[in-house]
Amino acid sequence: MVNGLPEASFKDIPEIFEVDLGESLTARTEALSSFRELGPPDLCHVVKSTGRSGARDFGSYHYISGVDASSSASLAAYINSLTYSIEDNSAWFSKTPQWKVKNGCYCCFNAFSRVDIRVDVKIPGGVNAYVIDLRGERHEATPELWQETYVSALLRAILYSDDSTYFLDAYRKLDPITTREGELRFLQAAEALFTKGEGWQVGSDPEIQVATIVSNHLTAGIMKYFGDSGRYQPVANLFEKLAAREPEVNSLLAKSYIGMNEEVKAVQIMGAAMRQTPQAYTLLHVQCDFLRSKGKQEWAVKLARQAVNCAPSEFVTWEKLADLYIDLGQFDSALLTLNSCPMFTFNGRDAHRVLPAIKVHLPFHRPIGEILPERHKTEDDEAEPALQRLPAPGLRGTWARAYALLTRLVSQIGWDELLKIRSQVFVMEEEYRMQKAHSEMQQALGSGNLTPPETGLESDLASAVIHEDGMVRPSMDDNASTRGVLAPTPKIGPTDSVDLNGSSSIPTIRISTESLRETVESEVTTKVESDAEEEEVVQKMDKGKGRAVDVEESEEATNGDVHTNGHGLEKPIQAAGEGEQSVNDASPAPAQEPFSFSNKRLCERWLDNLFMVLYEDLRVWTIFRAEVAHFKTQHVAYRKTGLEWEILGDLGLRLHHKEEAKEAYQRCLDSPRYSVKPWSKLMEMYADEGDIQRCVQTAIRVAAYQYADYTEMSYPTQIARAFFKLGQIHGHAKISFTLLSMGLPEPILKIMDSYLNYGKTFGVEGYDF
């Protein structure tokens, strides 16, 4: 430990102490050109000194969002506020030097002009504001740049507020908007950037390939901020003004009126807008969603087809069409549509480069943090390797959305039926190889290279495959995406597993850690595959939910040989695939190779891989549910670690088994593991169910975890969304009385009331009853 660090630390603000003074600013300048989207959170760097000659100065920094970035004065005020946060341990008789903030630098990225605005503050002294461009050169900060920076900072604060995948050490989150005046200022700045045509320049969500004036981070931030609280009136007023200049904005305006339950006006707007911009896929999608809500899926699917024709290169148009086909029960069309989805490279949130540090200071928030478990690793943070290495949680962007459609399909029709439809609409690898060999033999016979044998087609194919003259032998250097894996699909047992590419590499689930405990081993055998009684349980499990089925039933599939994992769950065999193949293409084969499958398509390789991901999820879920049933019949306690319960809860949600997922999350709470996920997932479920008592109880824990990670904001957060859902049913007064009845300590009660105070300040539905 470096001398003086504890005395130089802030008492309630996280910070990272630098090895070399100012290295965080240098690293940020070097990384400016790598920021592709909204940019990283703001960086606040300070230098602390004792004022004594010869004493070392310390540099520290932390990340922050929610600070008003509309002027240099507001950013300088934040740095000045830090001077009151240093621990004052000195006394008149003490020799301990008193540390003070000597100077500071606040950095805020402008996502519109792709520059970094910085404010240097000297204490005491002056304030200097300037702009750093991508080359590291300085420029003057203009009012236009300040306006763009202000909106950029607000969008980051709104869109990064509860992104569970985005985590930084020493990241402090404050409320971006606290008053109605601040909200009005945000809307005015957003309107100004809209009319300048700059809104699309900030980029868009990873599912959108090309940002447009209505599909970008600016509109996403506006709709998230007002949509999460159900207050669409202010945003409708904004879009009314913008729609006069930009007809495409009518799609956002119609969505706002639907959110306000002004459906007649929304329909009128959509009708008028369609005459102006008939090719706007966003407007067609708003109509699709409206018709779905009214149970008119047949009408909606026609609009979704039109949206695909208008924007065939966008993932969301194909996704919407596939979703509607599932609603209609046209599962073969849904699978073909899913196969045609254009997939994009996932670009995550912008972040800073992690630098080595002398010390990372993360102060403990009392008293709300005292209700949390200790933040150290225990045996409840361990899990079976197969559970930890499931590939599905690693999917992002368009792949995650496509996988969600695939899981929705399997939840409705079951795994066997899904494989059956797959083999009906896609060319399987074995079919492809047989047809290719047959066509090559015919070419060889036509050119006179082979003498026609008299033993029939099978011997013809066999001789064509093994012929050594170089003309008939199948080429082994074909395109891999077309050729696939030529080796037959191996049978797997309960101790095998398949990775994303189909290779047997993942050690399987045993699935219970009970097998590691000698006390339970002496009472009952935990390996499901060796228990005859359990086989009967497995065979009786619900086929329609994608669980285990009898092996004899799975033989109905038309995918060739049936490969099972010992529990009746059939492993998908390889499909013949090709890189890019349109669903409307009449011939799925390359032009130079005659192909006879006029009624089938080639499966995209990424979709084939998603089938393997789904198989892994279903296999683990099947064994887990069978094991639960087995332990119940044996009247033996079923125990797992906290991390295993959490992974199984996530797995249940992915596969649309909500009740089983809720049970897994509830079991996770029995362990002393430090994790917010089970609490937040249960809070959302209880809010959807209108269970006010349980939702409030879980919300207190979620708030404790948020404050432990320095999220000192009320809105937009998961807790605020949950409370506002409850408020629409019960009213905010009942939530407040429920909190009072719990006898919470005053500081905790104050934090929980802050979410309701936001609703009262901004007039969220339910605040007045």
Side-chain angles (χ1 to χ4, degrees), residues 453-755:
E454 302 178 357
T455 55
L457 178 61
E458 291 186 1
S459 59
D460 289 347
L461 292 176
S463 62
V465 170
I466 63 174
H467 200 358
E468 297 295 333
D469 64 357
M471 299 179 63
V472 183
R473 184 183 60 224
S475 173
M476 299 308 294
D477 59 352
D478 282 349
N479 189 328
S481 64
T482 303
R483 197 95 185 119
V485 180
L486 296 181
T489 306
K491 295 185 179 181
I492 66 170
T495 58
D496 295 327
S497 182
V498 180
D499 64 9
L500 189 61
N501 297 316
S503 62
S504 298
S505 63
I506 302 177
T508 186
I509 185 169
R510 242 185 315 255
I511 182 169
S512 173
T513 52
E514 295 292 309
S515 58
L516 303 178
R517 298 187 176 98
E518 294 180 358
T519 55
V520 179
E521 281 184 350
S522 62
E523 297 178 8
V524 61
T525 302
T526 58
K527 291 188 176 181
V528 178
E529 63 274 10
S530 64
D531 196 307
E533 293 181 13
E534 189 183 345
E535 283 295 328
E536 296 178 5
V537 174
V538 173
Q539 293 173 6
K540 293 178 181 178
M541 295 179 74
D542 182 13
K543 175 181 176 182
K545 293 295 184 181
R547 300 178 184 175
V549 294
D550 197 335
V551 178
E552 294 180 0
E553 295 178 1
S554 65
E555 291 176 355
E556 297 172 1
T558 59
N559 295 333
D561 294 336
V562 176
H563 306 289
T564 66
N565 67 348
H567 297 284
L569 189 68
E570 181 183 345
K571 177 184 174 182
I573 65 172
Q574 188 82 29
E578 191 169 40
E580 293 292 332
Q581 183 73 21
S582 171
V583 73
N584 298 319
D585 195 350
S587 175
Q592 67 272 21
E593 296 178 2
F595 218 79
S596 64
F597 294 108
S598 58
N599 61 337
K600 287 193 175 187
R601 303 291 180 262
L602 290 180
C603 181
E604 295 287 349
R605 188 59 62 214
W606 63 263
L607 182 57
D608 210 32
N609 290 339
L610 284 189
F611 269 96
M612 297 306 302
V613 173
L614 179 59
Y615 168 73
E616 277 299 299
D617 272 358
L618 289 172
R619 188 180 66 84
V620 170
W621 184 257
T622 297
I623 301 173
F624 162 61
R625 295 309 300 172
E627 200 174 41
V628 169
H630 171 75
F631 273 76
K632 284 182 179 178
T633 59
Q634 297 292 325
H635 303 289
V636 177
Y638 186 61
R639 296 191 302 272
K640 305 189 76 60
T641 67
L643 179 58
E644 287 173 339
W645 282 122
E646 184 178 306
I647 293 173
L648 289 168
D650 294 343
L651 177 58
L653 280 186
R654 284 201 302 274
L655 298 178
H656 301 275
H657 299 291
K658 185 177 179 181
E659 290 304 315
E660 291 90 341
K662 184 197 292 187
E663 181 185 353
Y665 286 132
Q666 288 168 340
R667 294 289 296 272
C668 184
L669 304 185
D670 297 333
S671 67
R673 182 167 178 269
Y674 189 94
S675 176
V676 67
K677 181 182 283 187
W679 293 101
S680 61
K681 293 292 186 183
L682 285 172
M683 179 184 69
E684 292 174 359
M685 292 179 185
Y686 293 142
D688 291 337
E689 296 168 1
D691 191 334
I692 188 169
Q693 189 74 29
R694 288 191 174 127
C695 183
V696 169
Q697 288 172 344
T698 51
I700 294 171
R701 296 281 182 164
V702 175
Y705 278 104
Q706 286 187 354
Y707 270 75
D709 287 332
Y710 313 102
T711 303
E712 306 165 37
M713 63 190 301
S714 302
Y715 184 83
T717 57
Q718 290 177 312
I719 300 174
R721 283 201 302 273
F723 277 12
F724 295 160
K725 282 181 184 178
L726 290 175
Q728 292 176 351
I729 303 171
H730 304 286
H732 289 194
K734 188 170 182 180
I735 302 175
S736 181
F737 293 144
T738 304
L739 287 167
L740 285 172
S741 67
M742 292 179 175
L744 301 172
E746 187 63 28
I748 298 178
L749 183 61
K750 184 178 179 181
I751 290 172
M752 301 310 297
D753 279 337
S754 68
Y755 303 102

Side-chain angles (χ1 to χ4, degrees), residues 36-295:
R36 301 298 180 197
E37 298 291 328
L38 284 173
D42 301 348
L43 175 71
C44 182
H45 176 268
V46 296
V47 177
K48 300 172 184 176
S49 173
T50 60
R52 297 182 179 182
S53 61
R56 177 184 177 182
D57 292 348
F58 286 124
S60 72
Y61 61 95
H62 62 275
Y63 308 112
I64 186 166
S65 62
V67 177
D68 181 6
S70 58
S71 67
S72 60
S74 57
L75 299 183
Y78 175 76
I79 294 178
N80 187 62
S81 70
L82 300 179
T83 61
Y84 305 103
S85 298
I86 294 183
E87 289 277 13
D88 188 4
N89 296 323
S90 62
W92 66 272
F93 56 83
S94 174
K95 295 183 180 180
T96 304
Q98 184 175 357
W99 291 85
K100 293 185 178 180
V101 176
K102 180 180 177 182
N103 57 62
C105 179
Y106 195 102
C107 310
C108 188
F109 186 70
N110 181 333
F112 295 90
S113 297
R114 323 302 298 173
V115 295
D116 207 32
I117 280 198
R118 298 188 181 180
V119 176
D120 285 338
V121 179
K122 298 188 183 301
I123 303 174
V127 176
N128 181 30
Y130 55 93
V131 174
I132 298 290
D133 64 16
L134 301 184
R135 295 183 298 274
E137 299 174 356
R138 287 198 180 197
H139 304 276
E140 183 183 354
T142 63
E144 291 78 13
L145 288 176
W146 274 114
Q147 185 181 57
E148 294 172 358
T149 306
Y150 166 67
V151 175
S152 299
L154 279 176
L155 292 179
R156 282 191 294 271
I158 293 168
L159 295 175
Y160 292 11
S161 61
D162 51 4
D163 187 346
S164 59
T165 63
Y166 191 81
F167 178 80
L168 288 172
D169 277 329
Y171 181 16
R172 191 182 181 200
K173 300 177 185 177
L174 304 179
D175 273 310
I177 299 173
T178 56
T179 62
R180 283 186 176 269
E181 292 76 15
E183 184 176 280
L184 180 61
R185 200 151 56 100
F186 171 47
L187 289 171
Q188 290 171 343
E191 180 183 357
L193 294 178
F194 245 108
T195 54
K196 290 179 183 177
E198 298 177 358
W200 60 272
Q201 295 180 10
V202 293
S204 61
D205 291 335
E207 295 81 18
I208 304 295
Q209 184 175 27
V210 180
T212 65
I213 197 164
V214 294
S215 300
N216 54 66
H217 284 312
L218 178 58
T219 55
I222 292 172
M223 294 302 288
K224 174 180 169 62
Y225 180 81
F226 291 96
D228 282 0
S229 58
R231 297 184 306 114
Y232 287 98
Q233 184 64 60
V235 78
N237 295 337
L238 169 66
F239 292 144
E240 283 273 14
K241 302 174 190 175
L242 298 173
R245 299 185 180 185
E246 300 288 347
E248 284 187 49
V249 178
N250 279 303
S251 61
L252 299 173
L253 179 60
K255 190 183 296 185
S256 302
Y257 276 118
I258 291 173
M260 295 164 58
N261 293 321
E262 296 278 354
E263 294 181 347
V264 174
K265 192 160 188 178
V267 170
Q268 293 172 345
I269 290 170
M270 288 188 287
M274 281 303 298
R275 287 188 284 271
Q276 286 183 283
T277 55
Q279 300 299 314
Y281 77 88
T282 51
L283 187 61
L284 292 166
H285 278 185
V286 175
Q287 296 181 72
C288 283
D289 294 336
F290 178 72
L291 290 171
R292 285 179 77 181
S293 68
K294 302 301 178 185

Side-chain angles (χ1 to χ4, degrees), residues 34 186 296 360 439 452 671:
S34 66
F186 171 47
K296 300 292 185 181
V360 179
S439 62
S671 67

Side-chain angles (χ1 to χ4, degrees), residues 340-353:
S340 299
C341 288
M343 310 302 282
F344 315 136
T345 301
F346 175 73
N347 293 319
R349 307 284 193 192
D350 293 320
H352 293 87
R353 181 163 54 92

